[in-house]
Amino acid sequence: MNSSYDSLVDLFLKSLRAEKNASQNTVSAYANDLNQFFIFLQEHYRKKADGIELEVLSHYDIRSFLAYLHRAGYNKSSVARKLAALRKFYRFLNKEKLIANNPLFFINSPKKDKKLPRYLEEKQIEQLLALPDCSTPLGLRDRAMLETFYASGIRVSELVGLDLPQINLDLGYMVVYGKGAKERVVPLGSFAIEALQNYLRRGRPVLLATQNNDALFLNYKGVRISVRGVRLTVEKYVRRLADSLKISPHSLRHTFATHLMERGADLRVVQELLGHVSMATTQVYTHVTTSKMKEVYDKTHPRA
């Protein structure tokens, strides 16, 4: 790497460590991305990329670099990450008054491809919910957890954080604290209520290690179950259902939302239930239901 360019990058990386408390992995990733940009300039423009050359680089040079990455087969996420590294680098140089120019000012980040969420079909979710052995305390807990996920669509962190005072099984709802400690009331279906009642009567008292513990879901040691514990539990049952399925606790949240949409739920209601701040976040489920609708149409319409 050119010594002048190298010294500027070194100053930038030192600031990441000192001021931003960045991890070594993060610092190494920035270093690799900035090194790739330098190599591109050397190979394609024969520029020295010292302080003066960085000063005169234009947005056309950045666009050429992005085109090079595209031709090399990088996906949009990788390109966006490399572009973010350059943005941060140039902001640092501007802030420290090392250069005045910023060729990224007119460059937009590539839009990431929207991935449709993974979810289970109704028959699959029924099979999954029937797997726990309800003759054991942990089986009762697992059934209650899975039913709660599917009935409410809550996040795994929200499920782990549930305390006994937050649930009201007589009225069939629970109070959930989402991102930013934002509170929302989430209804529970009859199957989830029954599973929770069974767990609270015959499962949780057996698991409970100390009386001063309000955590709803406990692990085998009798203390609050962790996010990792929930993930491992869900993965265990998914493997029993089908090894090929890539289903996580978050996929059960997607399943909840997708099934509501497929049965005609209003998008704004789904947004409220999921605790999404923006409607745009919820709109991914319209893509899922549209594809499902097209599939049904193709199968059933005589002239499809």
Side-chain angles (χ1 to χ4, degrees):
M1 189 182 286
N2 179 278
S3 59
S4 180
Y5 185 85
D6 183 45
S7 65
L8 292 174
V9 171
D10 190 50
L11 284 173
F12 168 64
L13 297 179
K14 283 181 179 177
S15 77
L16 285 179
R17 294 189 192 96
E19 298 174 24
K20 306 298 183 183
N21 198 27
S23 69
Q24 185 55 48
N25 287 341
T26 298
V27 173
S28 296
Y30 277 113
N32 290 336
D33 290 338
L34 294 174
N35 186 41
Q36 186 178 23
F37 180 59
F38 171 79
I39 292 171
F40 167 78
L41 292 177
Q42 289 286 76
E43 292 181 352
H44 293 266
Y45 288 94
R46 305 297 176 191
K47 293 182 179 179
K48 295 179 181 179
D50 58 16
I52 297 173
E53 295 297 338
L54 281 177
E55 181 74 61
V56 300
L57 286 180
S58 73
H59 65 281
Y60 293 111
D61 296 298
I62 304 298
R63 290 189 189 282
S64 295
F65 177 57
L66 297 180
Y68 157 74
L69 293 175
H70 177 73
R71 289 193 302 273
Y74 287 90
N75 61 36
K76 289 183 180 180
S77 295
S78 296
V79 172
R81 193 198 72 233
K82 293 176 188 298
L83 193 55
L86 283 173
R87 283 191 202 283
K88 208 170 187 73
F89 178 50
Y90 266 95
R91 284 192 192 119
F92 168 77
L93 297 177
N94 293 157
K95 180 184 174 183
E96 298 298 319
K97 295 183 170 49
L98 296 169
I99 65 171
N101 180 40
N102 189 338
L104 290 109
F105 187 77
F106 296 105
I107 302 293
N108 294 321
S109 296
K111 291 184 178 180
K112 294 181 181 179
D113 294 326
K114 287 187 177 179
K115 294 183 179 179
L116 294 181
R118 294 181 183 275
Y119 66 97
L120 292 170
E121 300 289 345
E122 289 188 34
K123 186 176 181 180
Q124 290 175 314
I125 194 70
E126 288 176 5
Q127 293 171 337
L128 181 70
L129 296 173
L131 287 175
D133 178 5
C134 291
S135 67
T136 68
L138 287 176
L140 287 165
R141 181 207 65 184
D142 295 348
R143 169 69 67 82
M145 283 200 311
L146 293 174
E147 289 281 6
T148 301
F149 266 132
Y150 182 53
S152 64
I154 60 175
R155 301 175 179 93
V156 62
S157 58
E158 295 169 345
L159 179 128
V160 166
L162 284 174
D163 287 333
L164 293 175
Q166 290 173 240
I167 64 169
N168 188 324
L169 298 184
D170 292 331
L171 296 179
Y173 73 86
M174 59 185 176
V175 177
V176 176
Y177 298 101
K179 292 183 177 178
K182 187 177 179 182
E183 180 183 305
R184 71 183 189 278
V185 176
V186 179
L188 289 166
S190 59
F191 288 89
I193 291 172
E194 182 181 1
L196 284 165
Q197 287 172 336
N198 290 333
Y199 164 64
L200 290 174
R201 278 198 302 263
R202 299 186 284 116
R204 189 178 183 278
V206 179
L207 295 173
L208 188 62
T210 61
Q211 293 303 313
N212 295 326
N213 187 350
D214 277 343
L216 175 59
F217 292 111
L218 308 175
N219 63 15
Y220 71 97
K221 293 182 179 179
V223 296
R224 188 185 301 275
I225 194 170
S226 65
V227 169
R228 182 173 181 273
V230 174
R231 293 191 190 283
L232 290 174
T233 300
V234 172
E235 287 171 6
K236 176 181 73 173
Y237 289 112
V238 170
R239 281 197 302 271
R240 286 171 58 184
L241 184 64
D243 280 335
S244 60
L245 291 176
K246 303 291 184 182
I247 297 298
S248 66
H250 207 69
S251 301
L252 297 179
R253 177 170 162 86
H254 294 320
T255 300
F256 161 81
T258 302
H259 291 179
L260 283 177
M261 291 290 294
E262 286 180 349
R263 289 177 172 246
D266 182 85
L267 191 62
R268 290 198 176 276
V269 173
V270 177
Q271 178 190 0
E272 287 292 325
L273 291 171
L274 291 173
H276 287 161
V277 175
S278 170
M279 174 66 79
T281 310
T282 317
Q283 282 177 333
V284 65
Y285 298 107
T286 62
H287 297 292
V288 175
T289 53
T290 299
S291 62
K292 180 74 174 180
M293 183 169 42
K294 181 68 167 64
E295 180 186 329
V296 172
Y297 178 87
D298 288 341
K299 285 182 179 179
T300 57
H301 195 282
R303 291 185 178 271

